[in-house]
């Protein structure tokens, strides 16, 4: 009886083996398509903390094709496959696939390799439709930066007609994430429970915070986010394609955190409701969250707090105030997403 080798993780798959291998991974970005013979096949990804591979399950591998159809994105699976190449890129030709079981621990299955070391912590907040928003503040003292760096900030501020602090707060190279609020987009926005992960300012005593606010370091916040994104079928943002996701990716690179989920490609993994609503139309501007909520008859998330006041509030240690503002944006984004589901998204095969 031939023993099928099981890769320790996806990055250790042996592309030189001419026979079937096995590996554990997270099922992502599933699409059922048809070839020129009108035969169905599955186009999807398997990912873990070490790598991500594009995969195919052809009609001839009907068990694998049926499994991909039935399993939700974000499901940990065991796959049997042969290594193939398409247009110079390695891909996996999947022969069989199933959800992992308790017995797979005997063959080396470790959820931490798929979802990250914070898996047990992240599971408490996981949901299939993850709505999120971030708040950021500037952290760099330009007086201590090289002259050319300070000049780059000054030129950007002049070009955009912003003050330098705002430019730095909007740049992952000069600022940091201080709050990440997440909610379940499948819930009624009015009743959506929101969790806010906040980064306490250095040198200040941590104030007493309600249970829905979780103090955490920025690196741990980033690891938590990518863990949640890996477990979700869809990640929902407002203007996340242009701001939130690129900011998180850059901060992850800076802090040596793996940005493990592609949320910037054209795929169903990320629904930017601003992009869907405006369809990229410049003539539809301004399209801020407040404007969109007003136009749709949704309660505005904006109160006494706004983005320009986050940095002063953070300097004063007002974490609950920032988290409450952040959570309101998540609920409003969830409400816009629900409206789009009804009138737009159910008619689309791609976002």
């Amino acid at each position: 009886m031939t023993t099928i080798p099981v890769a320790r993780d996806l990055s250790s798959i042996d592309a030189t083996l001419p026979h079937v291998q096995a590996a554990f991974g997270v099922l992502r970005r599933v699409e059922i398509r048809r070839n020129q013979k009108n035969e169905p096949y599955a186009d999807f990804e398997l990912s873990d903390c070490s790598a991500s591979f594009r995969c195919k399950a052809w009609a001839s591998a009907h068990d694998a094709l049926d499994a991909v159809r039935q399993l939700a994105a974000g499901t940990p699976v065991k796959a049997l496959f042969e290594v193939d190449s398409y247009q110079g890129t390695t891909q996996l030709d999947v022969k069989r696939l199933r959800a992992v079981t308790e017995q797979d621990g005997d063959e080396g299955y470790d959820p931490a390799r798929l979802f990250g070391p914070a898996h047990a912590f992240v599971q408490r907040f996981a949901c299939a439709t993850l709505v999120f928003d971030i708040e950021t503040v500037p952290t760099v003292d330009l007086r201590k930066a090289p002259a050319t760096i300070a000049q780059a900030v000054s030129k950007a501020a002049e070009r955009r007609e912003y003050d330098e602090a705002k430019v730095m707060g909007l740049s992952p190279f000069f600022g940091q994430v201080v709050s990440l609020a997440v909610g379940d987009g499948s819930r009624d926005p009015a009743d959506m429970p929101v969790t806010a992960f906040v980064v306490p300012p250095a040198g200040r005593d941590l104030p007493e915070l309600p249970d829905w606010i979780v103090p955490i370091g920025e690196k741990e916040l980033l690891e938590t986010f990518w863990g949640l994104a890996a477990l979700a079928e869809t990640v929902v943002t407002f203007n996340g394609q242009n701001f939130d996701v690129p900011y998180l990716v850059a901060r992850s690179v800076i802090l040596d955190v793996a940005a493990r989920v592609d949320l910037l490609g054209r795929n169903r993994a990320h629904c930017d409701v601003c992009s869907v609503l405006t369809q990229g139309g410049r003539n539809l501007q301004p399209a801020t969250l407040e404007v969109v909520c007003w136009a749709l008859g949704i309660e505005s998330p904006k109160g006494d707090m706004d983005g320009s006041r986050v940095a002063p509030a953070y300097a004063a240690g007002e974490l609950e105030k920032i988290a409450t503002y952040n959570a309101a944006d998540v609920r409003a984004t969830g409400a816009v997403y629900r409206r789009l589901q009804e009138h737009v998204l159910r008619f689309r095969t791609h976002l």
Side-chain angles (χ1 to χ4, degrees):
M1 183 176 178
T2 303
T3 300
I4 297 175
V6 180
R8 182 178 182 273
D9 49 42
L10 291 177
S11 64
S12 62
I13 288 174
D14 189 347
T16 66
L17 285 182
H19 51 75
V20 172
Q21 303 177 60
F24 298 104
V26 181
L27 186 66
R28 297 203 59 82
R29 296 178 62 177
V30 176
E31 292 188 24
I32 305 300
R33 299 178 175 178
R34 289 188 175 271
N35 62 16
Q36 292 180 345
K37 297 180 180 180
N38 202 35
E39 297 171 332
Y41 70 94
D43 187 348
F44 59 99
E45 284 186 1
L46 285 181
S47 66
D48 65 8
C49 287
S50 70
S52 180
F53 284 97
R54 189 168 184 177
C55 306
K56 296 288 193 299
W58 302 106
S60 57
H62 51 84
D63 288 344
L65 180 57
D66 288 344
V68 173
R69 281 171 162 162
Q70 294 170 18
L71 295 173
T75 301
V77 298
K78 182 180 181 181
L80 272 62
F81 55 85
E82 292 180 350
V83 179
D84 199 358
S85 178
Y86 178 70
Q87 296 182 344
T89 301
T90 299
Q91 70 175 20
L92 308 183
D93 182 356
V94 176
K95 307 300 184 181
R96 297 183 64 185
L97 182 141
R98 61 165 174 79
V100 298
T101 66
E102 293 182 4
Q103 288 71 34
D104 286 320
D106 297 333
E107 294 193 20
Y109 170 65
D110 180 358
R113 288 183 183 148
L114 269 63
F115 299 107
H119 178 59
F121 172 71
V122 167
Q123 275 190 311
R124 296 163 46 195
F125 312 100
C127 56
T129 304
L130 179 73
V131 186
F132 87 90
D133 182 67
I134 63 173
E135 300 300 333
T136 65
V137 300
T139 56
V140 172
D141 185 347
L142 284 181
R143 294 172 299 181
K144 299 179 181 179
T148 53
I149 303 301
Q151 288 170 7
V153 173
S154 296
K155 288 181 180 178
E158 182 178 351
R159 183 171 62 252
R160 301 178 69 177
E161 297 184 347
Y162 290 167
D163 60 44
E164 292 181 349
K166 183 173 182 178
V167 167
M168 290 193 294
L170 294 175
S171 169
F173 309 113
F174 299 95
Q176 72 169 77
V177 183
V178 296
S179 181
L180 166 77
V182 299
D184 185 347
S186 67
R187 301 282 294 270
D188 184 333
D191 301 319
M192 179 194 294
V194 175
T195 300
F197 302 95
V198 296
V199 180
R204 278 188 168 273
D205 293 335
L206 183 65
E208 185 175 346
L209 298 169
D211 292 342
W212 64 274
I213 300 178
V214 181
I216 195 171
E218 189 188 13
K219 183 171 183 175
E220 291 72 28
L221 178 151
L222 294 168
E223 291 172 340
T224 297
F225 170 75
W226 294 115
L228 289 171
L231 287 166
E233 293 182 35
T234 303
V235 174
V236 180
T237 65
F238 189 94
N239 199 35
Q241 287 276 354
N242 294 317
F243 179 68
D244 302 74
V245 174
Y247 199 105
L248 290 172
V249 169
R251 291 302 298 167
S252 296
V253 173
I254 291 167
L255 295 180
D256 198 26
V257 174
R260 299 186 286 116
V261 182
D262 177 15
L263 298 176
L264 292 176
R266 180 179 172 82
N267 60 72
R268 297 191 67 85
H270 179 196
C271 176
D272 181 339
V273 297
C274 180
S275 177
V276 174
L277 187 62
T278 63
Q279 297 291 289
R282 293 181 178 275
N283 61 329
L284 299 183
Q285 302 299 326
T288 64
L289 182 55
E290 185 174 15
V291 168
V292 169
C293 287
W294 171 79
L296 298 181
I298 295 170
E299 182 178 355
S300 173
K302 309 303 180 185
D304 295 335
M305 188 75 165
D306 62 36
S308 67
R309 301 183 184 182
V310 171
Y314 188 70
E318 298 175 329
L319 295 179
E320 185 171 355
K321 190 174 183 179
I322 295 170
T324 300
Y325 168 66
N326 200 184
D329 278 357
V330 166
R331 291 192 178 92
T333 300
V336 176
Y337 176 69
R338 172 163 288 203
R339 188 72 66 86
L340 288 177
Q341 279 185 304
E342 180 181 354
H343 297 291
V344 180
L345 299 180
R346 65 192 180 100
F347 302 106
R348 302 291 189 268
T349 57
H350 296 275
L351 296 179

